[in-house]
Amino acid sequence: MKWLVRILFLFVAAIGLVIGALLLMPGDKLAAILAEQVKSETGRDLTLSGGVNLSFWPVLGMETGPVTFGNAPWAGSEPMLSAESLAVGVDASALLNGDLRIRRVVADNPVLRLELSDGRGNWELSAPVASQATTGSNTGASPASPQGAVTLDRLELTNAQLVYIENGTTKFNFSNVDLSASWPGPTSPMVMEARMAVPGGHVKVDLEIPDLPTYASGAVAPLKLALTAPGGEVGFDGRVNLAGEMDGALAVKTRNTEEMMAAFGQAGVGVPLGLGRKADVSGQMTYTSEGRISLRNMVAQLDHNRFTGETDIEISDPPKITARLKSGDIDLSRFNDAPASSGGGSGTASSPDSGWSKAPIDASALSLANGEIRLTASSIVLPDLELGASDLTLILDRSRAVLQMNPATLFSGQVNGQVVANNRNGLSVGGKLKAKNMNVQQALSTLAGIERFTGTGTGEFEFLGVGQTEDQIMRSLSGTGNLNVGQGVISGFDLDRLMGRGKGSGGTTLFNSLTASFIIDQGVLTNNDLLMSLDNFRADGTGKVNIGARRIDYLFTPTALRANSGQGLSVPVRIVGPWSDPSIKPDLSKVIEAAAEGQLKDLEDDAKQKVLDKVGDELGTAVTDSESVEDALKNKLEEEAKKGLFKLLGGN
């Protein structure tokens, strides 16, 4: 505002100087004299085209055609200010009393170009050194610093273009701006209103500076600002200086955050439900000339979720955010619901019968910002997933998000590790997690729709999936993992009854421990080393789980350790079909094979024993299983030879 007051004064002072002596001068001569006066005061060129028209009483005024006001020598070649026409009027009677009461300043189609470089602003006006040093008899020089009061009744810019350039980079370029301002008295507040067309409607800014002289001098002054845009509004009550640095209370309320973002050039960006489609954010804000915003004592109501904490934002493209947030219970269960304006959800969510969703995943939100956000919460409810008390850190870097769990409470256990979503060159998701004391039934039910398995487990899991839909990601999964479960239950079949040991436990199998490891390739999990320990049995498992197709084909082989004279008796069980409702039954082919092998062995042993008995009868000696027939014959011959030798020698 300081630059604006100076410019206005220069115009008005020039009018006052020449009005008496130049009443009959032609317009081009008046324009030349005014330009010379402005040049001497500011060092900038003022160009007036189309002549100058004057009025005298009660308003001392000037109207011109096209006008331009030069830029700073170090700035760009474009003028700082240009307009198709300019009209300035002052109160003549007040001017005679030594006061400068500006009745009007009206500009049509003006272009205002503000530039900042190395801490210098092109709005900072000063006379050339030579002019400042000049003294003497020039008593008719314009009084650059009037002793009386300066006031402004009406400033009006119609269809203006506002351009702001910082260190050679255009930060914003707003067109079709209508601006009005008034400052009716030296102790009155300066009030400004601006209106600008944007997608979806208009942005309106109401600004009030209660102490304009203090602000114009470069000191910190109070400021009140209200911005209204399609979808929401922003309010600020605090302090400001000429550099634009601010400190005070900030309040942001949105009725439709996506609509408000579109109004400021961020069209097409979706806001997840629960993270601020409707928002009410307040706190103590500090803004520095380097483009940094700090928000302390922040309270953010984002839809139905409430957060507190502090946030630092570095204004850039994209912005960089550093935040420390706390919350109670966070509900993101409808995270993917479409906004009401879009007619509801897509209806393509996955279900146990329909398979994984084939709806495209919109991961554009990963590019909205960079930074690091730490959140501690009592609970977090996601679609089909619920976390208990958790300490999470989200790191955003160029469309890549890393969620660190330090730890997170998941499935009644503790999870440490990280999950990554990368949308730089197509979407991929991966992670490396360690879990302790997790409820296996909750995990399998949530992740795979399997309800039959209960227990508490510990394990590790590393995975990677690529694709633009949930279905593509699940079918591309790769990774490794292991699981160690303590006591638990498998419902759906009774191992005791299956193995012929009484009535069993009513359709369930109780086990003491379970261990397994697995690999995943192209969405298919393979396990070959499952080992389950029970009171009277052990069970081994091998098979595949097709995660992409949501099917299972697994052979589960329990062995009764005390059966068959301690040799063990096995009855394999095959689990096959959709994992939401697989078929679980004994594998009769394996049983028959095992039985057939046993019968052949018995027949072979029986035939062999009969041969040995017959040979023994013929030889008059017993032939055992461990003694060959050849050895038996040799022993018999030696015995008969000894008997014949004794007879020859006269022995008994």
Side-chain angles (χ1 to χ4, degrees), residues 19-242:
I19 191 65
L22 305 175
L23 290 179
L24 300 178
M25 280 189 179
D28 55 349
K29 183 63 175 179
L30 290 175
I33 293 175
L34 291 176
E36 181 181 348
Q37 290 294 321
V38 171
K39 179 78 170 181
S40 66
E41 292 294 333
T42 68
R44 308 277 185 94
D45 292 325
L46 174 67
T47 303
L48 302 174
S49 303
V52 177
N53 297 320
L54 301 176
S55 62
F56 310 109
W57 196 269
V59 175
L60 180 62
M62 177 187 73
E63 295 182 359
T64 77
V67 57
T68 61
F69 182 66
N71 215 333
W74 51 264
S77 59
E78 298 290 332
M80 175 182 168
L81 175 67
S82 64
E84 293 185 3
S85 66
L86 177 67
V88 180
V90 300
D91 189 316
S93 61
L95 189 62
L96 293 176
N97 295 326
D99 296 331
L100 180 59
R101 185 176 183 85
I102 304 171
R103 289 294 190 182
R104 71 179 187 275
V105 176
V106 179
D108 290 330
N109 301 314
V111 177
L112 177 61
R113 188 180 303 271
L114 302 179
E115 299 188 43
L116 181 67
S117 178
D118 298 328
R120 298 175 300 174
N122 68 339
W123 55 86
E124 298 174 359
L125 302 176
S126 60
V129 175
S131 278
Q132 291 176 346
T134 301
T135 59
S137 61
N138 188 14
T139 58
S142 64
S145 299
Q147 300 298 317
V150 179
T151 60
L152 172 66
D153 285 355
R154 180 168 67 101
L155 167 68
E156 186 175 316
L157 305 181
T158 304
N159 193 28
Q161 180 181 0
L162 305 180
V163 182
Y164 177 65
I165 301 172
E166 185 173 320
N167 296 322
T169 302
T170 301
K171 294 297 184 179
F172 63 75
N173 187 340
F174 296 139
S175 300
N176 302 319
V177 178
D178 294 331
L179 184 146
S180 63
S182 67
W183 182 39
T187 60
S188 300
M190 193 280 289
V191 178
M192 179 183 295
E193 295 182 1
R195 182 179 174 90
M196 177 180 64
V198 296
H202 290 82
V203 169
K204 182 182 178 183
V205 178
D206 295 302
L207 181 148
E208 178 181 322
I209 299 178
D211 189 352
L212 183 61
T214 298
Y215 173 73
S217 70
V220 176
L223 169 69
K224 292 183 179 180
L225 182 147
L227 181 150
T228 303
E233 55 269 345
V234 178
F236 177 82
D237 188 353
R239 305 181 303 162
V240 67
N241 63 18
L242 278 176

Side-chain angles (χ1 to χ4, degrees), residues 356-512:
W356 304 110
S357 172
K358 295 183 180 180
I361 298 174
D362 182 5
S364 61
L366 297 178
S367 65
L368 289 179
N370 295 328
E372 181 176 317
I373 302 172
R374 182 176 179 181
L375 170 66
T376 56
S378 300
S379 69
I380 304 174
V381 179
L382 299 167
D384 303 320
L385 190 65
E386 182 172 352
L387 283 72
S390 299
D391 185 350
L392 308 176
T393 299
L394 178 64
I395 301 173
L396 299 169
D397 180 27
R398 296 175 294 115
S399 297
R400 182 178 184 268
V402 179
L403 179 62
Q404 297 178 343
M405 305 178 188
N406 307 303
T409 301
L410 182 62
F411 306 128
S412 302
Q414 299 291 309
V415 179
N416 286 274
Q418 65 181 27
V419 177
V420 180
N422 190 337
N423 196 40
R424 292 175 180 172
N425 297 296
L427 180 61
S428 64
V429 294
K432 187 173 184 180
L433 304 171
K434 292 184 178 181
K436 183 178 180 181
N437 299 327
M438 294 185 67
N439 186 307
V440 177
Q441 183 184 42
Q442 292 180 13
L444 292 179
S445 175
T446 299
L447 300 177
I450 298 174
E451 303 281 354
R452 300 173 181 267
F453 199 104
T454 63
T456 301
T458 298
E460 298 183 7
F461 183 30
E462 187 172 354
F463 68 97
L464 175 65
V466 179
Q468 295 301 133
T469 68
E470 188 178 68
D471 183 76
Q472 292 174 354
I473 291 173
M474 291 301 180
R475 293 180 184 274
S476 70
L477 277 180
S478 61
T480 61
N482 61 73
L483 179 66
N484 190 332
V485 182
Q487 290 184 336
V489 176
I490 302 177
S491 61
F493 73 97
D494 189 336
L495 189 57
D496 279 317
R497 178 173 293 181
L498 180 68
M499 302 300 289
R501 295 181 57 84
K503 296 182 179 180
S505 54
T508 61
T509 295
L510 306 178
F511 63 88
N512 297 323

